Amino acid sequence: QKEDLQIYEKYCQNKPRSEALWRQCGDSIFFQECQRKLDHKLSLDAYLLKPVQRITKYQLLLKEMLKCSKNSEGTAELEEALATMLDIIKSVNDSMHQIAITGYEGDVSELGKLLMQGSFNVWTDHKKGHNKVKDLARFKPMQRHLFLYTKMLLFCKKREENTDGHEKTASYSFKNSLKMSTVGITENVKGDNKKFEIWYNGREEVYIIQASSVELKNTWISEIRKVLT
């Protein structure tokens, strides 16, 4: 059912738009009349939220089922179903960040599958030649939100804006991109086991990237390695 369940991704991407429309016309007589005819205690916006809540409940249900069926018939299928649901939730979450990218002139749908996204400290060196990493490390890092696609790595700056008096919404202002077919990676940077390097054009451009944890760094390196090989 994985392909069918991916409709949740589209639904969640459209949720900010449906909320905006509801704020415009939610108090119209038409919707009030629909609610009265259907004898619904709650208004339409409460039902529009249901799929967003439900997508996280499938994996909880599957986890409970697995607890009750260890080493029994169907355990392998339940484990596969749980892995699938967790993958879909990750895709939904990643895609919600992706739709907030601004300033990228290309079409993000042409960059391949979105594999990972997250915030990092980034140091850069654009000089030609081989500058030593320790000389770079003194400078203050930039805060960058990275989007890893199969074809491209995007560097964005996260901005938070207030919308119509509602919660702050994040947007990601595009700053730079690297084609994955032209980059190299250095898995370890001396002095900090949370850092790794991505370099371009024979180290003409070097990006030192610091993750919030060693585990996160290793997950990203693993995904980048898969793309490069």
Side-chain angles (χ1 to χ4, degrees):
Q1 301 294 318
K2 186 175 181 179
E3 283 182 18
D4 294 336
L5 287 164
Q6 278 166 339
I7 197 166
Y8 277 102
E9 197 174 311
K10 200 166 189 177
Y11 186 91
C12 292
Q13 283 179 355
N14 281 324
K15 191 72 179 61
R17 289 171 58 202
S18 68
E19 283 171 0
L21 280 168
W22 178 254
R23 287 198 292 273
Q24 285 174 33
C25 55
D27 55 359
S28 71
I29 292 166
F30 171 76
F31 285 117
Q32 289 172 18
E33 189 59 23
C34 287
Q35 188 178 339
R36 189 190 63 76
K37 279 182 183 174
L38 294 164
D39 196 25
H40 282 174
K41 290 185 177 70
L42 301 171
S43 56
L44 178 62
D45 59 324
Y47 294 98
L48 290 172
L49 188 60
K50 291 279 185 191
V52 181
Q53 294 169 331
R54 187 180 298 126
I55 189 65
T56 58
K57 286 180 179 173
Y58 289 129
Q59 52 103 7
L60 294 172
L61 176 66
L62 288 162
K63 280 176 182 171
E64 287 300 312
M65 290 170 74
L66 265 171
K67 279 183 195 173
C68 305
S69 61
K70 281 186 178 169
N71 304 318
S72 63
E73 196 181 333
T75 303
E77 287 87 345
L78 279 171
E79 285 171 349
E80 191 182 346
L82 176 59
T84 298
M85 280 316 306
L86 291 173
D87 191 42
I88 287 167
I89 291 167
K90 180 184 174 296
S91 293
V92 168
N93 184 47
D94 288 349
S95 72
M96 293 304 289
H97 290 274
Q98 175 183 263
I99 59 168
I101 295 172
T102 61
Y104 180 69
E105 291 184 355
D107 183 352
V108 291
S109 66
E110 293 176 1
L111 302 182
K113 184 175 174 9
L114 176 58
L115 303 170
M116 303 285 286
Q117 55 78 32
S119 291
F120 296 88
N121 288 326
V122 178
W123 291 262
T124 61
D125 176 30
H126 292 277
K127 292 173 188 171
K128 290 186 178 180
H130 297 264
N131 277 18
K132 288 181 181 175
V133 168
K134 66 180 179 185
D135 296 332
L136 293 172
R138 288 200 302 266
F139 301 109
K140 194 178 175 186
M142 294 177 290
Q143 300 293 313
R144 289 290 181 263
H145 203 90
L146 272 55
F147 292 85
L148 174 65
Y149 295 86
T150 49
K151 295 180 183 176
M152 196 88 78
L153 179 66
L154 300 189
F155 292 78
C156 299
K157 185 173 182 178
K158 185 176 182 179
R159 301 181 191 282
E160 287 192 337
E161 296 152 12
N162 287 315
T163 52
D164 306 336
H166 290 262
E167 293 177 13
K168 281 185 176 179
T169 57
S171 67
Y172 302 99
S173 176
F174 171 72
K175 293 294 177 187
N176 188 26
S177 64
L178 298 174
K179 282 185 181 175
M180 290 308 291
S181 58
T182 60
V183 303
I185 185 170
T186 307
E187 294 188 15
N188 297 301
V189 173
K190 198 174 177 182
D192 191 338
N193 61 0
K194 296 197 291 274
K195 286 180 180 174
F196 62 99
E197 280 183 354
I198 288 179
W199 41 269
Y200 178 69
N201 202 15
R203 295 187 70 84
E204 194 174 300
E205 293 178 29
V206 178
Y207 299 83
I208 301 172
I209 297 164
Q210 184 186 48
S212 56
S213 69
V214 176
E215 292 75 22
L216 184 65
K217 168 193 153 176
N218 290 338
T219 305
W220 273 73
I221 284 172
S222 173
E223 285 297 326
I224 291 167
R225 281 266 176 240
K226 283 180 200 170
V227 175
L228 298 184
T229 55

